[in-house]
């Protein structure tokens, strides 16, 4: 037999499938048994009691709520999802049928359903959930003025209905099941040991002519049954113990740099402690503390209203001005002190005097370097939010909100909470996971974090610090030695599907 013959047969299959279904199937992996053991051995004995592993269930639910809370444009009526045992049971019953289609027909009329199947190396259920959501790249949200009376279908890809079902605002319950099918007919091809994921949703979404959610301030249009409660941009029923508690349930131009550390957790009866590097006096001048291309965030003491520190200007302040008294003059702080952001504004030809908020500023007619003061806001995040999502890089560099991170972000999986770099982190990294890695906060308690966007680096070095492993990332083209694998999804409503190389 010719040495080339073993390669010709698989190649012929690849070309045939590429023509008929735009899929690429490779010969079965020699490690298939170990891959399937994820579902068939050990924990899999529990499948007689449950339709899905508890860890998979948690991943699916938490990822749905994370994705629903970060939609753009922002949703005003997006409801928090919870797990439904009955939906899980019905998903399990259908997954056992190993039929690559929506069903059963009598149930589909009253629920929503997303399906996915893969063959080859292990893929977690969350991988497929993310692939459903990634259809957003082909979807253009129909704004209210376009819906007269019906909203247009704005999908430019093969389908977007997996995405719209995930972010359908009134869908608030989900139940899923995973089953390994010994043989499964996927669009005319028999897949062996296919891993089949079925997710059922209620109330169902994807109603023709309707937008998946309303736009506006998060939680501003929640149904009355939620009682005004909001969590992570989602309408949320119930209460939680701590006011900052969260639900644990391409190249960008800005990169994450952890700047200051805070060791204590804020509470209702005490204020957070700040590092000594942040604390300044009432007389501290901007030119004493702010050098280089970016400025920082500082804590002013109480009593600066009556101190001797001079300020020059109004709105823009000359660089020899007292930071804290400028903040009082502008109205950012009062005599109790607090945090202030300062930003360099370059040379200004003159500075006008004025009297505001009990502080009198002086005039200066000579050109000099200037700065502005701004208010510091605090925002509660989950373990997954990145700088790219929170505050995009722009010049001149702007300040991100002060961030409160929840506890226990260290062990979040890398496909939800990626981390790239050491000390300086890529902006696609989880902010809170980076803060634990850098030693800024403890994983057990969480806490406050400050970040400053800076310009990109070409290479981010990975390291293991404080029990967190970060990954290396560079922007040079890499050639992967690994084969590609097949995954398919099918969407309810239009019955179309896609396959793709992963």
């Amino acid at each position: 037999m010719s040495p080339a013959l073993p390669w010709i047969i698989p190649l012929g299959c690849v070309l045939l499938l590429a023509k008929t279904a735009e899929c690429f199937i490779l010969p079965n992996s020699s490690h298939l048994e170990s891959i399937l053991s994820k579902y068939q051995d050990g924990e899999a004995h529990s499948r007689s009691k449950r339709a899905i592993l508890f860890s998979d269930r948690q991943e699916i639910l938490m990822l749905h709520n994370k994705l629903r809370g970060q939609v753009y444009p922002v949703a005003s009526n997006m409801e928090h999802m919870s797990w439904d045992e009955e939906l899980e049971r019905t998903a399990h019953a259908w997954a056992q049928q190993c039929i690559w289609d929506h069903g059963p027909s009598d149930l589909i009329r009253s629920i929503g359903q997303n399906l996915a199947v893969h063959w080859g190396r292990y893929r977690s259920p969350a991988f497929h959930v993310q692939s459903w959501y990634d259809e957003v790249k082909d979807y253009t949200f129909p704004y209210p003025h376009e819906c007269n009376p019906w909203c247009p279908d704005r999908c430019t890809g093969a389908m977007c209905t997996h995405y719209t079902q995930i972010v359908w605002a009134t869908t608030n319950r989900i139940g899923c099941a995973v089953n390994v099918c010994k043989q499964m007919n996927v669009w005319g091809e028999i897949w062996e040991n296919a891993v089949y994921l079925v997710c059922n949703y209620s109330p169902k979404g994807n109603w023709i002519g309707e937008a998946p959610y309303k736009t506006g301030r998060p939680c501003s249009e929640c149904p009355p049954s939620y009682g005004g409660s909001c969590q992570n941009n989602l309408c949320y029923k119930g209460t939680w113990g701590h006011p900052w508690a969260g639900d644990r349930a391409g190249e960008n131009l800005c990169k994450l740099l952890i700047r200051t550390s805070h060791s204590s957790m804020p509470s209702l009866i005490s204020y957070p402690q700040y590092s000594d590097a942040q604390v300044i006096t009432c007389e501290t001048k901007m030119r004493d503390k702010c050098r280089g291309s970016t400025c920082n965030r500082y804590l002013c003491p109480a009593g600066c209203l009556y101190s001797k520190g001079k300020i020059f200007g109004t709105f823009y302040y000359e660089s020899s001005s007292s930071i804290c008294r400028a903040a009082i003059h502008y109205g950012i702080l009062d005599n109790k002190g607090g945090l202030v952001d300062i930003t360099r504004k370059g040379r200004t030809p003159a500075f006008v005097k004025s009297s505001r908020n009990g502080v009198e500023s002086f005039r200066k007619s000579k050109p000099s370097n200037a700065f502005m003061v701004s208010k510091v806001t605090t925002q509660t995040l989950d373990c997954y939010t990145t700088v790219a999502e929170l505050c995009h890089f722009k010049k001149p560099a702007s300040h991100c909100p002060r961030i409160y991170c929840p506890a226990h972000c260290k062990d979040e999986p890398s496909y939800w909470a990626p981390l790239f770099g050491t000390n300086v982190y890529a902006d696609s990294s989880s902010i809170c996971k980076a803060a634990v890695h850098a030693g800024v906060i403890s994983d057990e308690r969480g806490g406050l974090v400050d970040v400053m966007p800076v310009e990109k680096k070409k290479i981010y070095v990975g390291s293991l610090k404080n029990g967190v492993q970060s990954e290396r990332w560079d922007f040079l083209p890499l050639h992967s030695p690994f084969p590609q694998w097949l995954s398919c999804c099918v969407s309810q409503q239009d019955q179309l599907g896609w396959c793709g190389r992963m």
Side-chain angles (χ1 to χ4, degrees), residues 154-369:
R154 291 291 182 81
C155 183
T156 58
M159 68 177 63
C160 299
T161 48
H162 296 106
Y163 164 74
T164 51
Q165 177 60 82
I166 287 177
V167 301
W168 203 268
T170 56
T171 299
N172 53 34
R173 298 191 304 281
I174 183 175
C176 303
V178 175
N179 182 44
V180 178
C181 299
K182 291 184 178 180
Q183 288 191 332
M184 188 170 182
N185 187 322
V186 181
W187 293 320
E189 296 294 330
I190 301 301
W191 290 15
E192 295 186 355
N193 297 311
V195 182
Y196 191 21
L197 170 66
V198 178
C199 282
N200 287 344
Y201 299 83
S202 183
K204 70 181 299 182
N206 289 338
W207 292 100
I208 296 175
E210 295 185 15
Y213 57 84
K214 298 178 182 179
T215 60
R217 180 172 55 83
C219 301
S220 61
E221 296 184 85
C222 292
S225 59
Y226 286 90
S229 185
C230 183
Q231 184 176 3
N232 295 335
N233 298 331
L234 302 175
C235 308
Y236 183 82
K237 289 183 179 178
T239 58
W240 48 96
H242 194 278
W244 283 287
D247 181 11
R248 294 194 71 242
E251 171 184 355
N252 293 307
L253 288 179
C254 75
K255 308 301 164 188
L256 169 61
L257 172 64
I258 303 287
R259 296 297 298 267
T260 54
S261 65
H262 313 280
S263 58
S264 65
M265 175 181 287
S267 69
L268 297 177
I269 58 174
S270 65
Y271 291 100
Q273 300 298 312
Y274 304 97
S275 62
D276 293 338
Q278 282 188 302
V279 178
I280 57 177
T281 68
C282 295
E283 288 75 31
T284 299
K285 303 171 184 177
M286 189 279 288
R287 67 185 182 191
D288 296 334
K289 281 287 184 179
C290 184
R291 297 174 182 174
S293 61
T294 61
C295 297
N296 219 324
R297 183 167 289 166
Y298 299 105
L299 177 66
C300 292
C304 292
L305 178 63
Y306 305 110
S307 76
K308 297 180 180 180
K310 291 184 178 181
I311 60 171
F312 301 88
T314 300
F315 188 69
Y316 286 179
Y317 300 96
E318 199 266 341
S319 60
S320 62
S321 300
S322 157
I323 294 173
C324 296
R325 283 177 56 79
I328 296 175
H329 181 268
Y330 192 75
I332 299 298
L333 300 179
D334 56 22
N335 201 36
K336 297 178 182 178
L339 286 166
V340 59
D341 281 341
I342 59 174
T343 306
R344 293 173 69 111
K345 303 304 294 185
R347 291 184 70 80
T348 299
F351 299 86
V352 180
K353 71 175 182 178
S354 64
S355 180
R356 299 174 61 187
N357 301 311
V359 176
E360 185 173 352
S361 68
F362 294 87
R363 176 181 177 179
K364 203 166 200 177
S365 56
K366 294 182 179 181
S368 183
N369 290 328

Side-chain angles (χ1 to χ4, degrees), residues 6-273:
W7 294 96
I8 294 174
I9 296 174
L11 179 60
C13 294
V14 168
L15 295 177
L16 175 62
L17 292 172
K19 180 177 179 61
T20 58
E22 298 182 356
C23 298
F24 290 76
I25 299 181
L26 299 179
N28 204 351
S29 169
S30 61
H31 302 291
L32 184 58
E33 290 184 5
S34 62
I35 293 169
L36 295 178
S37 67
K38 168 76 176 179
Y39 299 99
Q40 294 174 332
D41 297 335
E43 286 182 290
H45 295 297
S46 64
R47 290 199 180 278
S48 60
K49 298 180 181 179
R50 295 205 59 86
I52 191 168
L53 299 177
F54 183 77
S55 58
D56 290 343
R57 163 184 166 170
Q58 291 297 98
E59 286 185 351
I60 290 171
L61 181 60
M62 288 191 291
L63 184 55
H64 270 77
N65 282 320
K66 166 182 159 54
L67 297 173
R68 287 165 67 83
Q70 67 181 30
V71 293
Y72 184 84
V74 178
S76 63
N77 67 329
M78 189 69 72
E79 300 183 32
H80 183 275
M81 267 192 179
S82 59
W83 194 265
D84 188 283
E85 301 285 346
E86 182 62 20
L87 289 175
E88 177 188 327
R89 187 190 66 78
T90 59
H92 175 66
W94 184 246
Q96 294 294 308
Q97 301 300 312
C98 293
I99 298 173
W100 182 235
D101 199 355
H102 289 284
S105 56
D106 58 337
L107 185 64
I108 284 300
R109 291 191 291 269
S110 59
I111 66 167
Q113 189 176 74
N114 279 349
L115 306 177
V117 63
H118 73 267
W119 175 99
R121 66 173 174 173
Y122 169 70
R123 294 291 189 187
S124 71
F127 171 87
H128 290 300
V129 173
Q130 186 65 55
S131 71
W132 292 336
Y133 182 86
D134 288 345
E135 292 172 2
V136 66
K137 70 182 186 300
D138 297 323
Y139 184 74
T140 303
F141 187 89
Y143 285 90
H145 68 274
E146 301 174 279
C147 301
N148 187 21
W150 307 109
C151 299
D153 179 13
R154 291 291 182 81
C155 183
T156 58
M159 68 177 63
C160 299
T161 48
H162 296 106
Y163 164 74
T164 51
Q165 177 60 82
I166 287 177
V167 301
W168 203 268
T170 56
T171 299
N172 53 34
R173 298 191 304 281
I174 183 175
C176 303
V178 175
N179 182 44
V180 178
C181 299
K182 291 184 178 180
Q183 288 191 332
M184 188 170 182
N185 187 322
V186 181
W187 293 320
E189 296 294 330
I190 301 301
W191 290 15
E192 295 186 355
N193 297 311
V195 182
Y196 191 21
L197 170 66
V198 178
C199 282
N200 287 344
Y201 299 83
S202 183
K204 70 181 299 182
N206 289 338
W207 292 100
I208 296 175
E210 295 185 15
Y213 57 84
K214 298 178 182 179
T215 60
R217 180 172 55 83
C219 301
S220 61
E221 296 184 85
C222 292
S225 59
Y226 286 90
S229 185
C230 183
Q231 184 176 3
N232 295 335
N233 298 331
L234 302 175
C235 308
Y236 183 82
K237 289 183 179 178
T239 58
W240 48 96
H242 194 278
W244 283 287
D247 181 11
R248 294 194 71 242
E251 171 184 355
N252 293 307
L253 288 179
C254 75
K255 308 301 164 188
L256 169 61
L257 172 64
I258 303 287
R259 296 297 298 267
T260 54
S261 65
H262 313 280
S263 58
S264 65
M265 175 181 287
S267 69
L268 297 177
I269 58 174
S270 65
Y271 291 100
Q273 300 298 312

